[in-house]
Amino acid sequence: MLVKTLMRMNITYYHRLLIRSISSKPAWDILTGICIERLPVVTPPLTEMQKKYKEFLLTVEFEKSMKSNHEIQHENDKKQAELFKAESQDVDIDAVNKVTAQDFEDAANEEYSKFKFGNLETDADKKGDKTSTERCLQRHLVLVTQRKLGNDSKTLLPQGHWQEGETLRQTAERIVKEQIGSELQIKFISNAPCGFYKYKYPSEMNGKVGAKIFFYYANYKSGNPTKSKVNWLTRKELDEMLPQKYSNAVKEFLIEETY
Amino acid sequence: MSILRQFSRLSICPTVKFQLNRNISTTSALTFKITEQLWAEPMKKKKKIDPAIVKAREERRRKKIEKQIRRLEKNARQLKPIDELEVPLHLMDSLKKYKRPPVQLSVEEIEARELLQKEWARYKRDEYMNNIAQVDRIMAAQKRALDRLYEESEDLYNEAIMPDLQLLPYTISGPVATPPIKDYESPDGEYIDVSKKWDN
């Protein structure tokens, strides 16, 4: 009787050991996510402090400066005009008739007002078109796609599974080609991932407990995505559209916008 | 005695009685005398020089002078090193007319300016600390990602920390003040960079 219980205890003990040795480490899926960022094209607007200081610097520069030839010409013209008005002497009619400094300045100002600078608010801005890179020229834009996870589709950075025999960087490049098209010109900046996010599957899939996503950062150079519909989101929109914890993980490695 | 005689020339009335000195001698007198110039030549006849040779001489003289002018001009065309440059004299002479009247600032204005400087210093320091904090944050995120990768698989980690040799030289052009105009034709035309390059 005692021997039987002992044997049973041994069997259950060894059984537990066996099970523990097989499923010792939980297995995770390895994915790479790619953060493609279009850097701002136009400088952001000046803050109040910067505007005040800029004005201050300009006035100090003016005070310390010397007169330019244009200014001296202007003063001379004024004197000539006064003399001419007073008609005390008929001074140098030639000197009065030629192009005055004021005329030159007015002509220059006119030319400047006629010149059309590029519009900060592009067509894409006006339409609210999120799929073009021409929107929000002063902000950073990040590329996001729609993905189906389980039942619902979420907005995420493009991601895909890592395959045996390739480095994570090669995985990243492959995923971009597959999911977005090879027309998009981007430049990865390192072999190392810049961010990390892990999440557990609601139920075990293929023996994997969850997925670990390693983010790779790339700079957008030119081109358009062809294979799927993508959106370019600003920091605020990223905050709103991405799922909460995911968004936190992504914001860790992105530059914060100050305005 | 001689001094007196010299001064006597100035006076009207004779102070001294003149004595006639008539030298009478019985033998031949030895009077020394210098003769006029005897060793001059009459003018030589001017030989007619070949006009071609005359022209050649003039040409040579002209060329010499032109060469010297050219040498001086070449010196002027060469740019002086910046250390040797001086303020042109006509500007130095007319310095007065270019000066502005000195600015009189009220005490409040000066104080306001100083306070603005201090505010700016504070603002810039905050900006700098923010920048450093951001850089630290991004670096920490990368370090964490690499740690997790190491936990996951060593091979992938080793491949990830290898340097990317195709990255450098990397150029990004920064943001501009106004948005670029599509299909803009520069009125000054395109510029071609002709600066000398000294690459290996």
Side-chain angles (χ1 to χ4, degrees):
Chain A
M1 192 61 184
L2 206 68
V3 171
K4 265 194 192 163
T5 45
L6 273 173
M7 290 265 296
R8 230 178 285 141
M9 274 167 66
N10 274 351
I11 290 169
T12 47
Y13 172 64
Y14 284 120
H15 187 65
R16 243 180 278 143
L17 264 185
L18 190 70
I19 290 176
R20 215 180 289 162
S21 66
I22 291 173
S23 57
S24 53
K25 275 196 212 158
W28 297 78
D29 258 333
I30 301 181
L31 313 179
T32 47
I34 299 106
C35 175
I36 302 177
E37 197 176 33
R38 189 221 69 187
L39 299 170
V41 177
V42 179
T43 51
L46 297 176
T47 59
E48 285 302 318
M49 189 66 227
Q50 286 174 332
K51 279 188 206 155
K52 266 195 272 173
Y53 197 67
K54 181 177 177 174
E55 263 181 55
F56 163 66
L57 283 181
L58 287 176
T59 45
V60 167
E61 193 186 328
F62 182 76
E63 283 164 16
K64 288 192 182 170
S65 69
M66 291 216 234
K67 297 185 192 169
S68 63
N69 282 332
H70 175 84
E71 262 193 74
I72 289 178
Q73 175 77 18
H74 186 53
E75 286 174 3
N76 286 343
D77 288 337
K78 271 200 245 177
K79 274 193 226 156
Q80 299 283 357
E82 277 172 24
L83 286 173
F84 200 64
K85 268 193 209 167
E87 288 179 339
S88 50
Q89 325 157 357
D90 275 42
V91 193
D92 285 337
I93 304 176
D94 309 319
V96 179
N97 276 352
K98 68 182 175 202
V99 178
T100 57
Q102 191 62 45
D103 290 337
F104 175 72
E105 213 177 302
D106 292 334
N109 279 335
E110 229 193 274
E111 199 183 324
Y112 181 68
S113 60
K114 277 199 200 148
F115 183 80
K116 275 197 191 150
F117 284 101
N119 227 347
L120 251 185
E121 218 192 304
T122 56
D123 293 328
D125 276 327
K126 288 187 203 150
K127 288 188 225 160
D129 178 20
K130 292 196 184 168
T131 56
S132 87
T133 50
E134 302 293 323
R135 69 185 293 241
C136 297
L137 293 173
Q138 294 176 314
R139 295 190 183 274
H140 301 255
L141 296 179
V142 176
L143 185 127
V144 287
T145 51
Q146 297 281 101
R147 261 187 97 82
K148 273 201 183 156
L149 295 174
N151 287 333
D152 33 52
S153 71
K154 299 191 181 163
T155 43
L156 300 174
L157 305 182
Q159 68 193 36
H161 286 261
W162 166 74
Q163 287 166 359
E164 289 279 339
E166 57 178 9
T167 64
L168 284 174
R169 161 89 177 255
Q170 285 167 351
T171 320
E173 287 166 357
R174 178 179 56 88
I175 286 163
V176 169
K177 286 219 180 87
E178 288 177 1
Q179 294 193 8
I180 300 169
S182 29
E183 265 189 37
L184 199 76
Q185 297 293 327
I186 54 177
K187 177 93 181 180
F188 282 95
I189 57 173
S190 83
N191 281 330
C194 57
F196 173 80
Y197 178 67
K198 79 175 184 201
Y199 67 99
K200 281 196 170 155
Y201 297 140
S203 58
E204 235 184 75
M205 279 196 337
N206 307 339
K208 303 285 167 89
V209 173
K212 288 188 177 173
I213 313 180
F214 293 97
F215 292 108
Y216 274 77
Y217 181 85
N219 279 326
Y220 166 79
K221 291 283 176 190
S222 62
N224 276 321
T226 45
K227 295 240 171 121
S228 57
K229 283 196 79 178
V230 296
N231 280 336
W232 294 92
L233 302 184
T234 60
R235 296 281 192 265
K236 248 196 268 177
E237 287 159 6
L238 266 186
D239 220 4
E240 293 166 9
M241 310 277 268
L242 297 182
Q244 240 277 307
K245 286 195 181 169
Y246 187 83
S247 153
N248 287 343
V250 167
K251 275 198 290 182
E252 284 277 300
F253 63 83
L254 289 177
I255 300 174
E256 216 182 289
E257 252 175 26
T258 46
Y259 92 100
Chain B
M1 239 327 238
S2 63
I3 300 169
L4 205 61
R5 204 171 280 164
Q6 283 172 22
F7 274 89
S8 73
R9 274 188 256 142
L10 298 167
S11 66
I12 300 171
C13 53
T15 48
V16 176
K17 288 223 170 157
F18 287 111
Q19 289 165 358
L20 285 170
N21 278 1
R22 283 216 182 105
N23 294 338
I24 303 170
S25 61
T26 47
T27 55
S28 55
L30 262 178
T31 53
F32 289 100
K33 198 173 91 165
I34 301 174
T35 55
E36 301 95 16
Q37 265 195 302
L38 285 182
W39 52 83
E41 270 184 22
M43 294 285 145
K44 287 193 185 153
K45 265 194 218 168
K46 186 175 176 189
K47 290 191 191 134
K48 281 200 182 153
I49 316 168
D50 207 7
I53 297 176
V54 171
K55 277 187 198 152
R57 269 197 213 148
E58 286 295 321
E59 271 294 315
R60 247 175 265 149
R61 226 167 277 154
R62 200 154 51 87
K63 269 193 203 159
K64 217 183 202 176
I65 293 176
E66 276 178 1
K67 191 174 177 185
Q68 283 182 356
I69 292 174
R70 252 182 287 138
R71 210 182 290 157
L72 279 174
E73 277 189 353
K74 195 163 79 164
N75 241 17
R77 248 185 283 141
Q78 258 176 0
L79 297 169
K80 279 164 110 170
I82 291 181
D83 293 325
E84 280 183 34
L85 287 176
E86 301 138 354
V87 182
L89 285 172
H90 63 93
L91 284 181
M92 287 220 279
D93 296 331
S94 60
L95 203 63
K96 244 195 271 176
K97 74 168 175 171
Y98 285 103
K99 275 216 170 96
R100 278 189 211 280
V103 182
Q104 307 293 343
L105 291 172
S106 62
V107 179
E108 295 102 24
E109 178 65 36
I110 296 174
E111 263 202 58
R113 284 190 179 182
E114 287 304 312
L115 288 173
L116 182 63
Q117 296 270 39
K118 295 196 181 194
E119 256 188 79
W120 177 252
R122 252 173 257 138
Y123 172 82
K124 268 307 205 183
R125 180 172 193 276
D126 290 337
E127 202 183 51
Y128 181 66
M129 297 311 258
N130 263 336
N131 282 346
I132 291 185
Q134 283 200 43
V135 171
D136 284 341
R137 172 170 57 81
I138 295 174
M139 279 175 64
Q142 188 176 56
K143 187 167 189 300
R144 253 177 280 140
L146 282 171
D147 287 340
R148 296 280 179 279
L149 186 61
Y150 185 73
E151 279 173 26
E152 189 61 35
S153 98
E154 256 198 67
D155 291 327
L156 285 177
Y157 176 78
N158 288 333
E159 283 171 341
I161 57 175
M162 301 256 278
D164 182 10
L165 298 168
Q166 258 109 43
L167 178 64
L168 303 174
Y170 188 38
T171 49
I172 314 183
S173 52
V176 286
T178 51
I181 305 172
K182 286 221 166 85
D183 306 323
Y184 178 66
E185 271 182 35
S186 171
D188 299 331
E190 294 294 319
Y191 79 94
I192 305 168
D193 204 6
V194 290
S195 48
K196 293 188 188 167
K197 297 202 174 128
W198 286 277
D199 293 328
N200 288 346

